[in-house]
Amino acid sequence: MRYIITQEKNTVPSGFRNLTDDEISKEFLKLDADKSYFVSKNEWMKNFIQLLFNDIDALEKEGPDSLMTRIQELSDEFDKYDLDNNKYIDYIEYKNFVADNIYISE
C-alpha cells in the first residue's frame, strides 16, 4: 500500500483511491502525538519532515534548497487548512486536507 500526495485537486491518479473515513481518522490519531484530538503545527511539521527525510535522495536530485522549499510548503499547507488560524488542525480540517491531497494505492 502506497500513499501519494498531490496538489492537483479532484484528480485521482490511476491505481489510487481516496482514503475512507476510517483510514483518515486513524491517520489523524497517528499525527496527534499528545492525544489532544488536535494536531499542532509542530506535530504536523515533525511528521511530514520525517517523510521528507525518508526521501532525501530524491530531494538531493531536485537541488540544494529543495528541503527548505518543501518545509515552507508544509508550513503554508498547514496554514491553508487551519481555517480558524489557531495553529491547530482539528479532525474536520484534517479531513479536508486529506480529501484534497492524499490518495492510497488500491
Side-chain angles (χ1 to χ4, degrees), residues 1 13 15 85 102 105:
M1 189 175 307
N85 297 311
I102 299 179
S105 64

Side-chain angles (χ1 to χ4, degrees), residues 47-89:
N47 180 73
F48 287 106
I49 288 171
Q50 286 175 331
L51 292 175
L52 289 174
F53 278 123
N54 291 340
D55 202 19
I56 196 71
D57 292 337
L59 289 172
E60 285 294 328
K61 291 176 185 173
E62 290 179 23
D65 291 333
S66 61
L67 180 60
M68 290 308 296
T69 299
R70 294 291 175 93
I71 289 171
Q72 184 59 56
E73 290 170 353
L74 290 170
S75 179
D76 293 345
E77 195 76 6
F78 181 96
D79 293 341
K80 175 182 172 182
Y81 287 93
D82 178 21
L83 299 177
D84 55 9
N85 297 311
N86 66 352
K87 301 296 180 206
Y88 291 90
I89 299 262

